[in-house]
Amino acid sequence: MATSASSQLNKAVKQQYMDLPQGDMVQAMYIWIDGSGEGLRCKTRTLDFEPKTIEDLPEWNFDGSSTYQSEGSNSDMFLIPAAIFRDPFRKDPNKLVLCEVLKYNRNPTGRPHESKAGKCCSWSCLKLHLISVIVPETNLRRTCKQIMSMVENNHPWFGMEQEYTLLGTDGHPFGWPSNGFPGPQGPYYCGVGADKAYGRDVVEAHYRACLYAGVNICGTNAEVMPAQWEFQVGPCEGINMGDHLWVARFILHRVCEDFGVVVSFDPKPISGNWNGAGCHTNFSTKEMREDGGLKVIEESIERLAKRHRYHIRAYDPKGGLDNARRLTGRHETSNIDEFSAGVANRGASIRIPRSVGHDKKGYFEDRRPSANCDPYIVTEALVRTCLLKEEGEEPTDYSK
Ligand code: ADP
Ligand code: MN
Ligand code: MN
Ligand code: MN
């Protein structure tokens, strides 16, 4: 079993130091999303007080040329504290601080999906376009926050189902035989037993760590492919969805580090007859949750049907390329080129849960987002189409 060298270090000895009193000092671990749009970075500073809110926390900076976020000649980037959580690794009073990244001129780093790519052509042709349009700039929180502030009165709620795969440090799925494959899919989903659940220790540790931190995690389950798992975060209102999911991902990376294994959010880690990994996004507004809300849900689905391509471009960090490997129309997915919707249909782009169809109110599930999606742009896209009633391929610029 390929696990990391650091996981072999004596954890009991480490605990001896972690139990030392820390006086009046507080460790604040600043976390941010790097230029890949998927990777997370962190660094720690000592504070001589306990911060209670974001306003208490100082801005900071880092070297953007080492995180795919800037050229070496102008590489100082600002870290702007955006959300604060308890630190489940160093424990109280220490903090995790999720940050936005601003450039040297204090502008947010840009938006990778505002290209014209994909208007003219098929997905294989789109591949060529994309190579020229992906820019290593990724602060998608800023715009998401603006869009959410425009629809506050609708009280948009989100719940995201984060699927992921555990790997050894050699990149091989955790617990799979080193030569060959485990038995075919069937017994693993929500399975129990050493031959069905691969790596539950990680899942249990992550769940508790999220609860301690204050992440709004609402459940977990083993997935269809062995070594694949899911956790759910939500319901979260507005910008909180992105903040909570990113911190939940950070905590998962960090827990896996302690166990010496690696988490992958790749949407199709193993090709062939193995399920991919998505990030189903459940969405509702105040109106949808009230009596007769099903009608409002159906209106939203009509709008989404007319804007499939815009959403596909927003639903993975490569503008649709990653999801092209996953959304094949097989393994409980829809086809990437076609929009579909249905009650209790797990082969559709949008699923209305059976209970919602029955109650005639509630929420709907967008099954298209990839496991490595950026929740800021996914939730923003849903609000733009369903609440701001945008149409067409490009997001509206409200600053003009
Ligand atoms: P599935 O049956 O698709 O596997 P899960 O139980 O894994 O569903 O996830 C359901 C998700 O829906 C959770 O993240 C939960 O927070 C979210 N959710 C529940 N009610 C609402 C709602 N009214 N609006 C938005 N999200 C909701
Ligand atoms: Mn689920
Ligand atoms: Mn799932
Ligand atoms: Mn789901």
Side-chain angles (χ1 to χ4, degrees):
M1 180 60 29
T3 52
S4 73
S6 60
S7 70
Q8 312 300 319
L9 294 175
N10 188 323
K11 301 298 180 191
V13 174
K14 180 200 170 200
Q15 198 51 46
Q16 195 178 315
Y17 297 99
M18 297 309 286
D19 287 341
L20 288 172
Q22 59 183 88
D24 293 333
M25 297 302 176
V26 173
Q27 292 165 296
M29 184 179 258
Y30 281 45
I31 301 166
W32 70 99
I33 302 155
D34 74 16
S36 68
E38 296 178 64
L40 285 158
R41 308 286 176 127
C42 57
K43 59 176 190 165
T44 301
R45 64 188 294 169
T46 305
L47 303 174
D48 58 8
F49 62 97
E50 185 183 346
K52 300 288 187 196
T53 69
I54 280 307
E55 286 72 39
D56 296 339
L57 286 155
E59 291 182 6
W60 205 10
N61 49 58
F62 69 98
D63 167 18
S65 70
S66 301
T67 61
Y68 323 119
Q69 276 161 311
S70 74
E71 301 290 316
S73 55
N74 211 346
S75 66
D76 273 10
M77 313 287 283
F78 291 105
L79 287 174
I80 314 296
I84 186 169
F85 293 84
R86 292 166 75 197
D87 183 339
F89 305 102
R90 293 166 172 149
K91 305 203 179 93
D92 290 337
N94 304 298
K95 307 295 177 204
L96 301 179
V97 181
L98 181 69
C99 296
E100 276 192 41
V101 175
L102 297 187
K103 290 193 276 203
Y104 62 94
N105 56 9
R106 303 190 71 84
N107 284 335
T109 52
R111 303 169 51 76
H113 298 296
E114 284 187 359
S115 74
K116 303 267 187 267
K119 276 196 170 167
C120 56
C121 51
S122 66
W123 286 104
S124 52
C125 172
L126 175 61
K127 219 177 267 186
L128 297 173
H129 286 262
L130 279 163
I131 289 161
S132 60
V133 301
I134 297 165
V135 292
E137 297 189 305
T138 41
N139 183 355
L140 303 182
R141 188 179 188 275
R142 199 36 74 102
T143 317
C144 179
K145 195 156 178 262
Q146 281 162 4
I147 295 297
M148 293 302 169
S149 71
M150 293 170 68
V151 298
E152 262 169 17
N153 294 339
N154 298 91
H155 297 282
W157 288 6
F158 304 93
M160 295 179 84
E161 304 168 45
Q162 177 70 66
E163 293 178 339
Y164 61 93
T165 310
L166 296 176
L167 308 174
T169 49
D170 54 3
H172 196 64
F174 179 79
W176 286 34
S178 44
N179 295 303
F181 297 89
Q185 295 184 160
Y188 308 107
Y189 170 74
C190 297
V192 60
D195 55 342
K196 300 187 188 70
Y198 293 29
R200 191 190 298 276
D201 283 353
V202 172
V203 179
E204 293 296 319
H206 172 256
Y207 201 161
R208 281 294 176 91
C210 282
L211 289 174
Y212 182 94
V215 169
N216 190 12
I217 186 168
C218 61
T220 65
N221 60 268
E223 269 304 336
V224 175
M225 184 178 93
Q228 199 175 75
W229 297 84
E230 169 178 315
F231 64 85
Q232 300 98 28
V233 176
C236 291
E237 187 159 333
I239 194 70
N240 292 315
M241 184 68 251
D243 291 349
H244 281 239
L245 187 61
W246 274 115
V247 171
R249 285 176 180 174
F250 176 84
I251 292 172
L252 183 54
H253 281 297
R254 181 64 187 73
V255 166
C256 283
E257 185 185 315
D258 276 347
F259 284 107
V261 299
V262 175
V263 54
S264 169
F265 295 112
D266 190 277
K268 192 77 178 182
I270 311 295
S271 59
N273 242 342
W274 301 98
N275 272 34
C279 195
H280 299 166
T281 303
N282 301 272
F283 175 53
S284 67
T285 62
K286 191 164 172 286
E287 264 192 301
M288 294 177 193
R289 295 187 293 269
E290 286 168 355
D291 281 347
L294 186 60
K295 219 178 134 284
V296 188
I297 290 174
E298 283 163 353
E299 280 164 23
S300 280
I301 293 173
E302 274 167 41
R303 296 192 166 277
L304 289 164
K306 294 189 198 124
R307 223 183 179 208
H308 180 59
R309 218 170 227 193
Y310 162 74
H311 283 265
I312 287 294
R313 265 178 32 230
Y315 283 2
D316 75 53
K318 298 186 191 68
L321 265 190
D322 273 338
N323 248 336
R325 290 184 283 128
R326 162 180 169 257
L327 295 178
T328 56
R330 302 180 57 213
H331 307 110
E332 300 174 49
T333 69
S334 57
N335 185 300
I336 192 166
D337 289 318
E338 289 158 27
F339 181 90
S340 55
V343 175
N345 183 355
R346 289 175 192 264
S349 317
I350 304 281
R351 164 179 153 257
I352 297 176
R354 195 179 296 287
S355 62
V356 174
H358 179 266
D359 298 343
K360 306 233 179 310
K361 65 177 171 187
Y363 63 97
F364 66 86
E365 175 190 48
D366 192 337
R367 299 176 61 82
R368 296 170 293 176
S370 162
N372 60 351
C373 69
D374 188 322
Y376 294 127
I377 199 163
V378 171
T379 55
E380 175 190 319
L382 283 165
V383 165
R384 284 178 179 276
T385 303
C386 300
L387 293 179
L388 298 175
K389 307 193 165 42
E390 290 182 24
E391 292 172 0
E393 295 272 331
E394 299 298 327
T396 305
D397 183 353
Y398 297 99
S399 67
K400 284 174 192 155

